[in-house]
Amino acid sequence: LPISTSSCRVEYGTTTLHQQVERIVSRFLGKDDAMILNMGFNTNATTIPALMGRGDLLVSDELNHTSIVNGARASGASIRTFRHNDADHLEEILSTAIVMGRPRTRRPWNKIMVIVEGIYSMEGEYCDLRNVVRVCKKYGAYLYLDEAHSIGAMGPTGRGCCEYTGVDPADVDVLMGTFTKSFGGMGGYVAGSREVIDYLRTKCAGSSFHNSLSPVVCQQIISSFKVIMGEDGTDIGKRKLTALRDNSNYFRMRLMDMGLHVLGHFDSPIVPVMLYNPTKIAAFSRECLKRGLAVVVVGFPAVPILMSRARFCISAAHTREDLDRALVEIEEIASLLKLKYNKSTFG
C-alpha cells in the first residue's frame, strides 16, 4: 500500500480504501454516509466552519475541546456557552436565543447548532446526551456530537455515547470521532445524512485542501473495525470492550479508595486525578517517571490554573498485574506529594 496519495480527497486522494472506511464507519454508526479526514483536530476545526457561518448560533458546552473552540471561532457564527453537562442551562440559552434573535437586528437566527462531547477529555465524564437531545428537539436545534474518546470504548458493542445512553443515532445530526484512540490509527470522521456529507466533501477545507488519509492507515482502521464488530471471526473485540470497562472501573475505584480526588464517571476509560497546586505538576510527572510510569499531567492553560491534574488513560491491554503495580507506585507518590485530599485538606 502507498504511504500517501499526495493529494486532497477531491482531486486524486480518494482510493477504494478510503471509500471502504467511509462505508464501514456509516454502517457502524447507523448513519447514511460518512467522510474521513487525515487529522482528528482538523476534523472539528474545518468541519464546523463549513456547517456554520454569519447569522448562525453555536451553543457549546463550556468544557468542549480546543478543536471545537477553534472551529467555532473560525466559523464566524455567534457563540454561546452553557454550563458543563447542564441541560437546564442549555434550555435557558436556547429559549432566550430564539425569543431575542440576533443582537441589534433581532432577526431570527439562520440555524442553531449545539455541540457536545461523548466523553470530556479532561474530566472523564460522559455527556448527559438524553437530556441534551430532548432540549434540542424541543427547540429545533441541530446537534453535533464529538465522540473522539467514546467511540470504540463505550456501549456494549463500542458504538459510543449514543449506544451507552440509549439514544437513537438518528436524533444526533452530526457524529464526529477520531481514529487515534480505539482504532490505533490517525485522522477523524464525520457522519450524518447523505445531503450533509455530500455538502461537506466540497465545502470542508479538510476535504478540499488537506492531504487525504494514508491508505496504510485506512487498512489499519478497517481491520480495527472488523475486530470491534466481530467480523474477523473472533470474539476479541467483545473481550477487549469488557476488559476496558473492567480495568477502568477497577483503577478508578482503587484511586478513590486511596483518598485521591478522582473526576469523571465509572465506565469512562479517562481517569483524571486532581493535583490542584501547579507546583505539583512537574513533581508528580518526575516521580512517576522515576518509577517507570508514563503519565500525562495537565496544567494551565489547558485547565484553570488551580485545577491541575494527572490524566490516566486506561487500556484493554493492561493486565490486572500492570494496574496493581502502577497503583502501588501511585499511592507512594500520593503520600510523598500529599495528594490524598479526600482524607485531609492538606493531602
Side-chain angles (χ1 to χ4, degrees):
L1 294 173
I3 294 173
S4 173
T5 61
S6 301
S7 179
C8 64
R9 288 295 307 278
V10 296
E11 292 178 356
Y12 304 108
T14 297
T15 68
T16 54
L17 287 171
H18 291 85
Q19 293 169 340
Q20 284 180 44
V21 173
E22 290 175 342
R23 284 196 295 270
I24 201 169
V25 167
S26 59
R27 180 161 60 90
F28 185 70
L29 297 173
K31 285 294 188 182
D32 293 342
D33 202 357
M35 178 182 75
I36 60 172
L37 302 172
N38 76 339
M39 184 177 172
F41 190 103
N42 275 359
T43 303
N44 279 329
T46 61
T47 297
I48 295 170
L51 292 171
M52 305 295 284
R54 291 177 64 84
D56 297 333
L57 176 64
L58 273 167
V59 185
S60 176
D61 188 289
E62 64 179 350
L63 296 183
N64 274 343
H65 191 262
T66 307
S67 60
I68 294 174
V69 175
N70 285 8
R73 288 174 177 171
S75 70
S78 296
I79 303 169
R80 306 281 189 276
T81 58
F82 64 96
R83 287 190 295 271
H84 176 55
N85 248 356
D86 189 338
D88 292 334
H89 190 220
L90 171 62
E91 183 167 7
E92 182 183 325
I93 288 174
L94 287 177
S95 61
T96 302
I98 290 170
V99 170
M100 298 301 292
R102 301 186 219 175
R104 294 191 299 276
T105 65
R106 301 306 174 198
R107 291 177 180 174
W109 300 99
N110 293 334
K111 56 180 175 290
I112 301 174
M113 187 164 75
V114 176
I115 306 182
V116 293
E117 294 186 36
I119 294 179
Y120 290 87
S121 58
M122 291 299 163
E123 319 302 315
E125 298 174 357
Y126 43 80
C127 175
D128 183 13
L129 192 58
R130 276 179 174 269
N131 284 321
V132 170
V133 166
R134 174 183 57 79
V135 173
C136 288
K137 278 185 170 182
K138 181 177 178 180
Y139 292 94
Y142 295 106
L143 179 57
Y144 183 109
L145 176 63
D146 178 339
E147 294 215 87
H149 292 273
S150 54
I151 193 67
M154 289 179 70
T157 62
R159 283 174 167 79
C161 195
C162 287
E163 182 179 50
Y164 187 83
T165 56
V167 170
D168 187 343
D171 292 332
V172 181
D173 299 286
V174 180
L175 287 168
M176 174 272 172
T178 63
F179 300 124
T180 53
K181 284 85 177 176
S182 299
F183 306 96
M186 63 176 283
Y189 67 82
V190 181
S193 67
R194 199 170 303 282
E195 294 78 14
V196 168
I197 300 303
D198 285 344
Y199 172 82
L200 287 175
R201 288 191 204 282
T202 57
K203 299 298 183 182
C204 173
S207 175
S208 301
F209 304 112
H210 298 183
N211 203 28
S212 68
L213 194 60
S214 165
V216 175
V217 177
C218 288
Q219 184 57 61
Q220 161 67 23
I221 294 165
I222 292 167
S223 300
S224 297
F225 266 111
K226 287 182 177 178
V227 170
I228 291 173
M229 298 166 76
E231 294 181 3
D232 61 336
T234 72
D235 65 344
I236 292 174
K238 184 177 180 180
R239 286 192 281 111
K240 282 189 173 291
L241 285 166
T242 301
L244 178 62
R245 184 184 66 247
D246 292 346
N247 284 349
S248 301
N249 290 341
Y250 174 75
F251 195 76
R252 182 181 296 276
M253 180 182 65
R254 287 287 305 276
L255 291 176
M256 293 170 70
D257 290 344
M258 285 180 202
L260 300 176
H261 271 183
V262 183
L263 300 185
H265 296 135
F266 279 92
D267 292 346
S268 168
I270 297 175
V271 186
V273 172
M274 298 307 296
L275 306 177
Y276 295 111
N277 191 330
T279 62
K280 295 184 179 182
I281 299 172
F284 187 86
S285 179
R286 288 168 183 163
E287 291 297 330
C288 285
L289 185 61
K290 280 182 192 175
R291 294 163 173 79
L293 301 181
V295 302
V296 174
V297 287
V298 187
F300 182 83
V303 293
I305 197 163
L306 295 179
M307 297 295 283
S308 306
R309 64 199 67 182
R311 189 182 74 161
F312 297 97
C313 293
I314 306 304
S315 166
H318 286 136
T319 64
R320 196 52 59 93
E321 290 73 27
D322 292 334
L323 297 178
D324 285 337
R325 175 184 170 267
L327 287 162
V328 169
E329 305 288 3
I330 292 167
E331 184 158 26
E332 182 182 330
I333 297 167
S335 298
L336 178 67
L337 300 182
K338 300 192 182 302
L339 299 174
K340 298 182 179 181
Y341 297 112
N342 270 345
K343 292 187 176 179
S344 165
T345 305
F346 303 102

Short mmCIF file of all heavy atoms in Angstrom, two decimals, residues 227 235-245 316-317:
data_model
loop_
_atom_site.label_atom_id
_atom_site.label_comp_id
_atom_site.label_asym_id
_atom_site.label_seq_id
_atom_site.Cartn_x
_atom_site.Cartn_y
_atom_site.Cartn_z
N VAL A 227 -12.47 -6.10 13.92
CA VAL A 227 -12.25 -6.74 15.23
C VAL A 227 -13.33 -6.31 16.21
O VAL A 227 -13.95 -7.13 16.89
CB VAL A 227 -10.85 -6.38 15.77
CG1 VAL A 227 -10.71 -6.84 17.23
CG2 VAL A 227 -9.76 -7.02 14.92
N ASP A 235 -13.95 -13.35 18.97
CA ASP A 235 -14.65 -12.52 19.97
C ASP A 235 -13.66 -11.57 20.65
O ASP A 235 -13.92 -11.09 21.76
CB ASP A 235 -15.36 -13.39 20.99
CG ASP A 235 -14.40 -14.21 21.84
OD1 ASP A 235 -13.21 -14.34 21.44
OD2 ASP A 235 -14.81 -14.71 22.90
N ILE A 236 -12.53 -11.29 19.98
CA ILE A 236 -11.51 -10.42 20.57
C ILE A 236 -12.08 -9.03 20.87
O ILE A 236 -11.83 -8.46 21.94
CB ILE A 236 -10.29 -10.30 19.62
CG1 ILE A 236 -9.56 -11.64 19.52
CG2 ILE A 236 -9.33 -9.22 20.12
CD1 ILE A 236 -8.43 -11.65 18.51
N GLY A 237 -12.85 -8.48 19.93
CA GLY A 237 -13.42 -7.15 20.13
C GLY A 237 -14.30 -7.09 21.36
O GLY A 237 -14.20 -6.16 22.17
N LYS A 238 -15.17 -8.08 21.50
CA LYS A 238 -16.08 -8.11 22.66
C LYS A 238 -15.29 -8.24 23.96
O LYS A 238 -15.60 -7.56 24.95
CB LYS A 238 -17.04 -9.29 22.50
CG LYS A 238 -18.10 -9.37 23.58
CD LYS A 238 -19.06 -10.52 23.30
CE LYS A 238 -20.14 -10.59 24.39
NZ LYS A 238 -21.07 -11.71 24.13
N ARG A 239 -14.26 -9.09 23.95
CA ARG A 239 -13.45 -9.26 25.16
C ARG A 239 -12.68 -8.00 25.51
O ARG A 239 -12.53 -7.65 26.68
CB ARG A 239 -12.50 -10.46 24.98
CG ARG A 239 -13.19 -11.81 25.05
CD ARG A 239 -12.23 -12.97 25.17
NE ARG A 239 -11.62 -13.32 23.89
CZ ARG A 239 -10.35 -13.13 23.59
NH1 ARG A 239 -9.54 -12.57 24.48
NH2 ARG A 239 -9.87 -13.49 22.42
N LYS A 240 -12.20 -7.29 24.50
CA LYS A 240 -11.46 -6.05 24.76
C LYS A 240 -12.36 -4.97 25.32
O LYS A 240 -11.96 -4.21 26.21
CB LYS A 240 -10.77 -5.57 23.47
CG LYS A 240 -9.49 -6.35 23.16
CD LYS A 240 -8.73 -5.72 22.03
CE LYS A 240 -7.37 -6.39 21.82
NZ LYS A 240 -6.44 -6.13 22.94
N LEU A 241 -13.58 -4.87 24.83
CA LEU A 241 -14.52 -3.88 25.36
C LEU A 241 -14.84 -4.17 26.83
O LEU A 241 -14.90 -3.25 27.66
CB LEU A 241 -15.81 -3.89 24.54
CG LEU A 241 -15.72 -3.23 23.16
CD1 LEU A 241 -16.93 -3.60 22.31
CD2 LEU A 241 -15.63 -1.72 23.30
N THR A 242 -15.02 -5.45 27.15
CA THR A 242 -15.27 -5.83 28.54
C THR A 242 -14.06 -5.55 29.42
O THR A 242 -14.18 -5.01 30.53
CB THR A 242 -15.63 -7.33 28.62
OG1 THR A 242 -16.79 -7.58 27.82
CG2 THR A 242 -15.93 -7.75 30.05
N ALA A 243 -12.86 -5.87 28.90
CA ALA A 243 -11.63 -5.64 29.67
C ALA A 243 -11.41 -4.16 29.91
O ALA A 243 -10.98 -3.75 31.00
CB ALA A 243 -10.44 -6.24 28.92
N LEU A 244 -11.71 -3.33 28.90
CA LEU A 244 -11.53 -1.89 29.06
C LEU A 244 -12.43 -1.33 30.15
O LEU A 244 -11.99 -0.55 31.00
CB LEU A 244 -11.83 -1.19 27.73
CG LEU A 244 -11.74 0.34 27.74
CD1 LEU A 244 -10.33 0.80 28.08
CD2 LEU A 244 -12.16 0.92 26.39
N ARG A 245 -13.68 -1.75 30.15
CA ARG A 245 -14.62 -1.29 31.17
C ARG A 245 -14.20 -1.77 32.56
O ARG A 245 -14.17 -0.99 33.52
CB ARG A 245 -16.03 -1.78 30.85
CG ARG A 245 -17.10 -1.26 31.81
CD ARG A 245 -18.46 -1.83 31.52
NE ARG A 245 -18.50 -3.27 31.78
CZ ARG A 245 -18.65 -4.20 30.83
NH1 ARG A 245 -18.78 -3.84 29.58
NH2 ARG A 245 -18.67 -5.47 31.14
N ALA A 316 -7.44 -1.65 27.30
CA ALA A 316 -7.87 -3.04 27.44
C ALA A 316 -6.67 -3.98 27.53
O ALA A 316 -6.78 -5.10 28.02
CB ALA A 316 -8.75 -3.43 26.25
N ALA A 317 -5.51 -3.51 27.05
CA ALA A 317 -4.31 -4.34 27.06
C ALA A 317 -3.64 -4.40 28.43
O ALA A 317 -2.78 -5.26 28.66
CB ALA A 317 -3.30 -3.82 26.03
#
